[in-house]
């Protein structure tokens, strides 16, 4: 009897488990069909024995959510023999996002073998090859404007000299902060402080992604709302009456089971472009256009598979160049959302889609491009520097160059010094700049007008035989575009000239200590003070090139002895390469790496020493040798 009961209990438990597994599968399928991808993932993951189809749907769900790493993990759980053409095309896009061009092309070729349209595959491979070869030769610069959203911007719009974007507003009646519309005016080359835009509109929901008609009387904005626990978007029309905006109606093509968003109105006000995942599209959000018929809007028209993919095409805009610009994560691009454009053909259709290239696109989300109020510039939104957490608004266009003039003079007499060697380094980007010599004592180089007053550091080094090298920090400002570089003459007599710099050391050959360079914990590069010391040493050597130079490199006692010896050699070689680049004969420099062997203050392993005591041991000893 007991055995019979146990069998019955096992059967019931097994049946329950099967029922639960079946329930997770049904719920996952239902959520996946409705494009509720997060819910689909949660349910599919609870299915114990996942077949290739379940792994595929988990991968696709992650892909649509923009989590490419997890998407790739689940695509790779499918055996190569069972991967579909769509799987391989998705993997191609994931490889492309990681900069793996060869892998991206290989996945395309394998997709063709699995039955993918050969014409589409060839087109995709060609686009990938173009991206791989593309370089930023535009001569344009991308820079963040001063006014920035606090988190997500929901796109940027331009009305006259105003830029409009969403920002978190004040708390509403429920104590919640929603995205509301704000604007900033562009005047005198600056954007003003943010002010509310159309704050009479409903602040109980998120508002953003707007378009204003040419006459300024109509506005179309995106409103985010929640229905049955799901977030949807709809496009609402507002009218400007009695000096205030008032919502009129939700546009007729909106629906309760899909979203419409990101409107763009043509200059004549007769065509409205927008994105939607309404039924009948190619997948994800597609771009549609509808035309005004009298006072009403006609049926939305899908722009077709040349523009739209099975993924997202959003933020359409018609710029002054007459092209249709939009963001897509389904076209061949560098990252998640890339910017693309298309021109109209003679037949009036939108033609071949082109990637906007590396000057505008990154491996993150780049979207919502607009003509800027600033002449010759464009505006766009990207989360490239904040890993998807925060949007920033960027201006893109031709740089405005300003000339910095350098005058080389003797420090005491202020007389001109001719034919000095001048080097300029832009520190943030490690960019070496070769200034133009326009007179015997005068040099110049260009900086961006947009950098003035922004705290951008340049380091200027000047050398001339018979003078001490000098090294100065320079921050471009409108008030200091003329810079005096002051050089001090070296005394001709060797002993007098070196008296303040050198200390004799007792060695079999005559050695003189020049100076020591100290390093902070973990520091592996030469700071500006170290560079100045080495530059001065180079200046002395150039007066007496028969001297040899010895670099003795030491570390503190923290860490493994072998690692410290390796680190000490690395630091010595850095100093050596710096001096060689400055003109010292490489055969005249000897490097010795001692690691922690010679501490100077008893701070050996196990000793309690302060950080400053350890720093005294992290040193380069710079020596001159007279043989």
């Amino acid at each position: 009897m007991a055995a019979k009961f146990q069998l019955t209990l096992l059967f019931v438990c097994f049946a329950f488990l099967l029922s639960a597994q079946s329930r997770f599968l049904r719920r996952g399928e239902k959520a996946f069909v409705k494009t509720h991808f997060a819910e689909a993932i949660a349910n599919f993951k609870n299915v114990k024995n996942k077949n290739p189809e379940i792994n595929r749907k988990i991968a696709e769900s992650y892909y649509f959510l923009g989590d490419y790493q997890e998407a790739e993990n689940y695509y790779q759980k499918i055996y190569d023999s069972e991967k579909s053409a769509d799987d391989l095309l998705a993997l191609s896009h994931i490889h492309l996002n990681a900069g793996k061009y060869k892998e991206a092309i290989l996945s395309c070729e394998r997709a063709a073998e699995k039955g993918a349209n050969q014409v589409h595959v060839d087109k995709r491979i060609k686009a990938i090859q173009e991206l791989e070869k593309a370089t930023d030769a535009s001569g344009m610069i991308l820079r963040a404007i001063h006014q920035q959203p606090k988190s997500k911007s929901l796109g940027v719009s331009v009305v006259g000299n105003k830029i409009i974007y969403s920002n978190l507003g004040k708390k509403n009646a429920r104590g919640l902060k929603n995205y509301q519309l704000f604007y900033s005016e562009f005047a005198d080359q600056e954007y003003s402080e943010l002010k509310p835009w159309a704050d009479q509109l409903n602040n109980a929901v998120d508002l953003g992604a707007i378009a204003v008609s040419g006459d300024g009387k109509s506005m179309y904005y995106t409103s985010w709302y929640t229905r049955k626990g799901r977030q949807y978007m709809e496009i609402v029309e507002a009218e400007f009456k009695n000096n205030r905006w008032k919502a009129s109606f939700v546009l007729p093509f909106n629906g309760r089971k899909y979203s419409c968003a990101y409107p763009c109105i043509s200059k004549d006000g007769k065509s409205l472009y927008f994105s939607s995942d309404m039924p009948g599209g190619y997948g994800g959000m597609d771009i549609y256009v509808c035309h005004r018929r009298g006072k009403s809007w006609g049926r939305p028209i899908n722009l077709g598979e040349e523009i739209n993919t099975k993924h997202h095409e959003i933020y359409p805009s018609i710029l002054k160049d007459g092209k249709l610009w939009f963001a897509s994560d389904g076209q061949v691009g560098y990252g998640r959302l890339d910017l693309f454009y298309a021109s109209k053909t003679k037949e009036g259709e939108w033609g071949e889609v082109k990637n906007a290239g590396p000057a505008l696109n990154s491996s993150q989300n780049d979207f919502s491009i607009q003509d800027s109020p600033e002449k010759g510039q464009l505006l766009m939104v990207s989360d490239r520097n904040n890993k998807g957490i925060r949007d920033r608004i960027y201006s893109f266009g031709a740089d405005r160059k300003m000339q910095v003039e350098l005058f080389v003079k003797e420090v005491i007499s202020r007389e001109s010094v001719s034919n000095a060697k001048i080097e300029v380094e832009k520190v943030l980007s490690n960019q070496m700049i070769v200034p133009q010599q326009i007179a015997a004592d005068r040099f110049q180089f260009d900086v961006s007008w947009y950098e003035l007053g922004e705290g951008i550091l340049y380091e200027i080094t000047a050398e001339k035989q018979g003078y001490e090298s000098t090294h100065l920090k320079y921050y471009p400002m409108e008030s200091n575009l003329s810079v005096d570089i002051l050089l001090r003459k070296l005394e001709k007599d060797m002993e007098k000239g070196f008296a303040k710099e050198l200390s004799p050391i007792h060695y079999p050959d005559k050695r003189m200590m020049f100076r020591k360079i100290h390093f902070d914990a973990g520091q592996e590069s030469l700071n500006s003070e170290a560079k100045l010391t080495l530059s001065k040493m180079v200046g002395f050597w150039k007066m007496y090139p028969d001297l040899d130079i010895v670099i003795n490199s030491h570390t503190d006692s923290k860490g493994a002895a072998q690692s410290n010896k390796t680190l000490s050699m690395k630091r010595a070689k850095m100093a050596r390469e710096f001096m060689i680049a400055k003109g010292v004969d490489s055969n005249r420099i000897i490097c010795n790496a001692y690691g922690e062997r010679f501490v100077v203050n008893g701070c050996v392993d196990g000793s309690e020493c302060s950080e400053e005591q350890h720093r005294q041991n992290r040193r380069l000893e710079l020596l001159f040798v007279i043989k």
Side-chain angles (χ1 to χ4, degrees), residues 89-148:
L89 289 173
L91 280 169
S92 170
H93 195 87
I94 291 169
H95 291 321
L96 192 56
N97 176 250
K100 299 176 181 177
Y101 296 99
K102 291 181 180 178
E103 290 88 339
I105 291 173
L106 180 60
S107 292
C108 284
E109 292 171 344
R110 290 178 59 204
E113 294 171 1
K114 293 278 187 173
N117 185 296
Q118 188 65 54
V119 174
H120 290 170
V121 168
D122 290 343
K123 181 179 176 182
R124 184 175 182 84
I125 290 175
K126 180 183 176 183
I128 293 171
Q129 291 170 337
E130 288 177 354
L131 289 193
E132 186 177 15
K133 294 176 183 177
T135 56
D136 181 10
S138 64
M140 306 293 186
I141 62 168
L142 188 72
R143 58 188 173 84
I145 67 172
H146 288 285
Q147 286 296 337
Q148 292 293 340

Side-chain angles (χ1 to χ4, degrees), residues 242-295:
N242 301 321
N243 206 33
R244 58 186 284 134
W245 286 104
K246 183 179 180 181
S248 343
F249 57 89
V250 175
L251 293 183
F253 49 73
N254 287 279
R256 301 295 287 172
K257 294 184 178 181
Y258 57 86
S259 290
C260 295
Y262 318 119
C264 164
I265 188 77
S266 61
K267 278 187 178 181
D268 59 11
K270 294 181 179 179
S271 299
L272 186 73
Y273 294 84
F274 64 95
S275 296
S276 176
D277 58 357
M278 65 177 62
Y282 292 90
M285 299 284 284
D286 282 3
I287 297 178
Y288 290 81
V289 63
C290 62
H291 304 290
R292 185 183 287 279
R293 301 287 185 262
K295 294 185 178 181

Side-chain angles (χ1 to χ4, degrees), residues 327-444:
S328 171
D329 61 0
Q331 298 279 355
V332 177
Y334 293 96
R336 285 159 171 79
L337 285 173
D338 265 21
L339 288 164
F340 297 85
Y341 62 85
S343 302
K344 273 198 170 179
T345 64
K346 293 179 181 179
E347 294 76 23
E349 302 293 331
W350 293 110
E352 184 180 1
V353 172
K354 292 285 188 181
N355 187 289
L360 283 170
N361 289 316
S362 69
S363 62
Q364 296 297 318
N365 293 300
D366 306 289
F367 58 99
S368 189
I369 191 165
Q370 302 286 339
D371 289 304
S372 173
E374 186 177 3
K375 187 177 180 181
Q377 301 284 310
L378 297 172
L379 289 176
M380 60 166 287
V381 179
S382 176
D383 60 12
R384 63 184 63 196
N385 290 326
N386 298 92
K387 297 182 179 179
I389 298 172
R390 177 183 174 186
D391 292 339
R392 293 186 70 79
I393 301 172
Y394 293 87
S395 183
F396 176 78
D399 196 1
R400 295 173 58 189
K401 296 295 186 182
M402 302 294 288
Q403 289 184 340
V404 177
E405 292 190 319
L406 307 176
F407 296 88
V408 188
K409 301 177 180 179
E410 203 280 325
V411 65
I412 297 175
S413 67
R414 289 298 197 272
E415 292 180 354
S416 296
V417 176
S418 300
N419 301 319
K421 181 183 177 182
I422 307 295
E423 290 183 351
V424 179
E425 180 183 5
K426 188 175 182 180
V427 175
L428 185 63
S429 58
N430 294 319
Q431 178 187 357
M432 296 303 301
I433 299 168
V434 179
Q436 180 184 3
Q437 185 170 2
I438 55 177
D441 62 337
R442 185 179 165 199
F443 298 78
Q444 68 181 27

Side-chain angles (χ1 to χ4, degrees), residues 566-582:
T566 301
L567 177 59
S568 63
M569 179 54 77
K570 182 175 181 179
R571 287 171 173 167
K573 286 183 176 178
M574 278 193 304
R576 181 178 186 272
E577 293 302 320
F578 182 89
M579 288 193 283
I580 291 172
K582 294 285 187 180

Side-chain angles (χ1 to χ4, degrees), residues 140-348:
M140 306 293 186
I141 62 168
L142 188 72
R143 58 188 173 84
I145 67 172
H146 288 285
Q147 286 296 337
Q148 292 293 340
K150 295 177 181 177
S151 56
K152 308 299 283 186
S153 74
L154 309 182
V156 62
S157 302
V158 176
V159 178
N161 70 330
K162 300 180 179 68
I163 62 169
I164 304 166
Y165 58 90
S166 299
N167 216 339
L168 288 172
K170 296 179 180 179
K171 291 182 179 179
N172 57 28
R174 293 180 296 168
L176 301 174
K177 286 186 177 182
N178 291 101
Y179 284 97
Q180 299 298 298
L181 298 170
F182 294 84
Y183 77 93
S184 174
E185 289 189 84
F186 182 77
D188 299 324
Q189 305 301 321
E190 293 289 347
Y191 285 98
S192 66
E193 293 295 320
L194 280 184
K195 297 178 182 178
W197 172 273
D199 54 349
Q200 308 87 1
L201 300 176
N202 182 10
N203 70 345
V205 296
D206 293 323
L207 306 179
I210 76 163
V212 178
S213 61
D215 60 11
K217 295 180 180 179
S218 299
M219 177 171 66
Y220 305 88
Y221 64 89
T222 305
S223 173
W224 279 254
Y225 68 94
T226 302
R227 177 173 174 268
K228 293 184 179 181
R230 307 291 179 191
Q231 192 175 64
Y232 294 91
M233 297 173 283
E234 62 184 8
I235 299 174
V236 183
E237 182 173 341
E239 292 182 334
F240 192 69
K241 287 184 177 181
N242 301 321
N243 206 33
R244 58 186 284 134
W245 286 104
K246 183 179 180 181
S248 343
F249 57 89
V250 175
L251 293 183
F253 49 73
N254 287 279
R256 301 295 287 172
K257 294 184 178 181
Y258 57 86
S259 290
C260 295
Y262 318 119
C264 164
I265 188 77
S266 61
K267 278 187 178 181
D268 59 11
K270 294 181 179 179
S271 299
L272 186 73
Y273 294 84
F274 64 95
S275 296
S276 176
D277 58 357
M278 65 177 62
Y282 292 90
M285 299 284 284
D286 282 3
I287 297 178
Y288 290 81
V289 63
C290 62
H291 304 290
R292 185 183 287 279
R293 301 287 185 262
K295 294 185 178 181
S296 61
W297 290 100
R299 179 179 60 84
I301 302 169
N302 190 298
L303 293 192
E305 63 179 345
E306 184 69 35
I307 301 294
N308 295 312
T309 68
K310 65 179 294 186
H311 299 286
H312 296 307
E313 281 68 47
I314 56 178
Y315 288 100
S317 58
I318 308 292
L319 300 190
K320 290 177 182 177
D321 59 12
K323 296 173 182 175
L324 170 69
W325 287 74
F326 61 96
S328 171
D329 61 0
Q331 298 279 355
V332 177
Y334 293 96
R336 285 159 171 79
L337 285 173
D338 265 21
L339 288 164
F340 297 85
Y341 62 85
S343 302
K344 273 198 170 179
T345 64
K346 293 179 181 179
E347 294 76 23

Side-chain angles (χ1 to χ4, degrees), residues 364-608:
Q364 296 297 318
N365 293 300
D366 306 289
F367 58 99
S368 189
I369 191 165
Q370 302 286 339
D371 289 304
S372 173
E374 186 177 3
K375 187 177 180 181
Q377 301 284 310
L378 297 172
L379 289 176
M380 60 166 287
V381 179
S382 176
D383 60 12
R384 63 184 63 196
N385 290 326
N386 298 92
K387 297 182 179 179
I389 298 172
R390 177 183 174 186
D391 292 339
R392 293 186 70 79
I393 301 172
Y394 293 87
S395 183
F396 176 78
D399 196 1
R400 295 173 58 189
K401 296 295 186 182
M402 302 294 288
Q403 289 184 340
V404 177
E405 292 190 319
L406 307 176
F407 296 88
V408 188
K409 301 177 180 179
E410 203 280 325
V411 65
I412 297 175
S413 67
R414 289 298 197 272
E415 292 180 354
S416 296
V417 176
S418 300
N419 301 319
K421 181 183 177 182
I422 307 295
E423 290 183 351
V424 179
E425 180 183 5
K426 188 175 182 180
V427 175
L428 185 63
S429 58
N430 294 319
Q431 178 187 357
M432 296 303 301
I433 299 168
V434 179
Q436 180 184 3
Q437 185 170 2
I438 55 177
D441 62 337
R442 185 179 165 199
F443 298 78
Q444 68 181 27
F445 67 97
D446 292 337
V447 298
S448 171
W449 180 85
Y450 300 106
E451 291 181 350
L452 300 183
E454 294 297 311
I456 306 298
L457 173 60
Y458 289 78
E459 292 186 345
I460 303 171
T461 303
E463 296 178 347
K464 181 175 171 63
Q465 188 169 343
Y467 293 80
E468 286 188 29
S469 299
T470 190
H471 184 87
L472 61 92
K473 294 180 178 180
Y474 170 65
Y475 299 90
M477 299 176 65
E478 283 193 272
S479 59
N480 70 346
L481 295 177
S482 177
V483 181
D484 287 345
I485 299 176
L486 305 178
L487 295 177
R488 184 183 300 277
K489 280 186 178 179
L490 289 171
E491 297 181 41
K492 293 298 182 182
D493 181 76
M494 180 175 180
E495 292 184 0
K496 290 181 180 179
F498 281 63
K500 296 180 181 179
E501 302 288 350
L502 302 176
S503 302
I505 299 176
H506 297 291
Y507 276 87
D509 46 16
K510 188 176 181 182
R511 298 190 178 198
M512 292 176 290
M513 172 71 77
F514 178 65
R515 288 187 191 177
K516 295 178 183 177
I517 293 173
H518 293 280
F519 292 84
D520 293 329
Q523 179 185 338
E524 295 189 5
S525 59
L526 298 170
N527 59 25
S528 57
E529 185 178 350
K531 290 178 181 178
L532 177 58
T533 298
L534 291 170
S535 295
K536 284 189 173 183
M537 190 172 194
V538 170
F540 283 126
W541 182 87
K542 287 183 177 179
M543 287 188 66
Y544 307 99
D546 291 334
L547 295 175
D548 285 341
I549 293 173
V550 174
I551 303 171
N552 291 333
S553 181
H554 306 269
T555 68
D556 58 30
S557 61
K558 295 189 288 186
Q562 186 57 45
S563 297
N564 284 334
K565 189 167 185 179
T566 301
L567 177 59
S568 63
M569 179 54 77
K570 182 175 181 179
R571 287 171 173 167
K573 286 183 176 178
M574 278 193 304
R576 181 178 186 272
E577 293 302 320
F578 182 89
M579 288 193 283
I580 291 172
K582 294 285 187 180
V584 177
D585 183 350
S586 61
N587 295 319
R588 291 289 184 178
I589 305 175
I590 301 166
C591 291
N592 297 316
Y594 296 109
E596 61 185 69
R597 183 179 173 188
F598 299 111
V599 295
V600 295
N601 50 17
C603 290
V604 295
D605 288 339
S607 301
E608 291 188 7

